[in-house]
Amino acid sequence: MKKYYDDRHQLNMEISNTKDGSMLIKLYQPTGIKEITVTEAEGKEIIELNRIEYNDNHRETRRHVSLDAYDPYSALVKDNANPLQKIINKEEIEQLHHSIGQLNPEQQKLLMKKFWDDMKQIDIAKEEDVSKMAITKRLQTIYRNLKKILQN
């Protein structure tokens, strides 16, 4: 029995010889497994076509270079990305940065600690020698201010 795999190492096809000289082929497809019996000549032709297809695909993939290597800032559109959504997200981020810039310096510093430095509220509270509740209330105030700024 010969097994054939695709580039993602998933089983595509199994071919086995039967006693009467024919070949049994199992095709693994997304819709299910299909079995067909063919003559030995047809089976050899299928094996040859499968080999040619594999070589063509392999040759084709060697020609391609991933653009990710040339995209250190993730500025290029990914294959599965929605370009419109990317533009919307970029605009929203720009609005958020602009809004954060309108906060007072202490509020900006607190946001930096919370989101950029990924500090926990309890750690920020210890650092500033206040209670965790004080940090929670400050963040709630910041969120309200940002919401007002973004709605304008």
Side-chain angles (χ1 to χ4, degrees):
M1 177 186 318
K2 278 190 138 183
K3 294 183 179 185
Y4 296 90
Y5 296 88
D6 65 10
D7 291 337
R8 295 169 303 220
H9 308 293
Q10 293 179 342
L11 185 60
N12 271 352
M13 178 172 53
E14 289 180 14
I15 299 178
S16 56
N17 292 328
T18 59
K19 293 179 182 175
D20 64 357
S22 60
M23 292 183 156
L24 177 65
I25 299 176
K26 283 186 182 179
L27 298 170
Y28 294 87
Q29 300 176 330
T31 56
I33 299 172
K34 293 186 179 182
E35 292 186 15
I36 57 172
T37 304
V38 296
T39 65
E40 186 175 355
E42 291 170 331
K44 287 181 179 180
E45 186 66 27
I46 290 171
I47 292 170
E48 179 63 15
L49 290 171
N50 193 49
R51 185 189 66 75
I52 291 169
E53 180 182 17
Y54 173 82
N55 288 340
D56 286 346
N57 288 340
H58 190 69
R59 188 178 316 112
E60 184 65 24
T61 57
R62 283 194 308 243
R63 290 185 189 150
H64 297 282
V65 176
S66 173
L67 293 177
D68 291 338
Y70 302 105
D71 187 22
Y73 304 110
S74 297
L76 298 174
V77 177
K78 304 287 187 232
D79 289 340
N80 60 352
N82 178 346
L84 177 61
Q85 189 60 48
K86 255 191 120 109
I87 292 169
I88 292 170
N89 291 347
K90 184 178 178 184
E91 288 176 358
E92 288 175 346
I93 290 171
E94 287 172 359
Q95 286 177 331
L96 184 59
H97 283 278
H98 177 70
S99 300
I100 290 172
Q102 294 181 23
L103 296 172
N104 68 45
E106 294 83 24
Q107 291 175 327
Q108 291 178 14
K109 188 175 176 183
L110 179 58
L111 283 179
M112 291 290 283
K113 288 178 183 180
K114 174 75 175 147
F115 294 104
W116 280 266
D117 298 339
D118 202 25
M119 289 180 69
K120 295 180 181 178
Q121 290 182 17
I122 191 75
D123 296 330
I124 297 170
K126 286 178 185 175
E127 184 180 285
E128 296 188 11
D129 199 29
V130 295
S131 69
K132 180 182 178 277
M133 184 54 74
I135 299 299
T136 300
K137 288 183 180 183
R138 289 179 191 174
L139 286 170
Q140 288 172 346
T141 302
I142 292 170
Y143 299 151
R144 279 194 305 273
N145 291 345
L146 284 175
K147 187 175 180 180
K148 287 177 189 174
I149 294 168
L150 286 169
Q151 287 176 345
N152 292 335

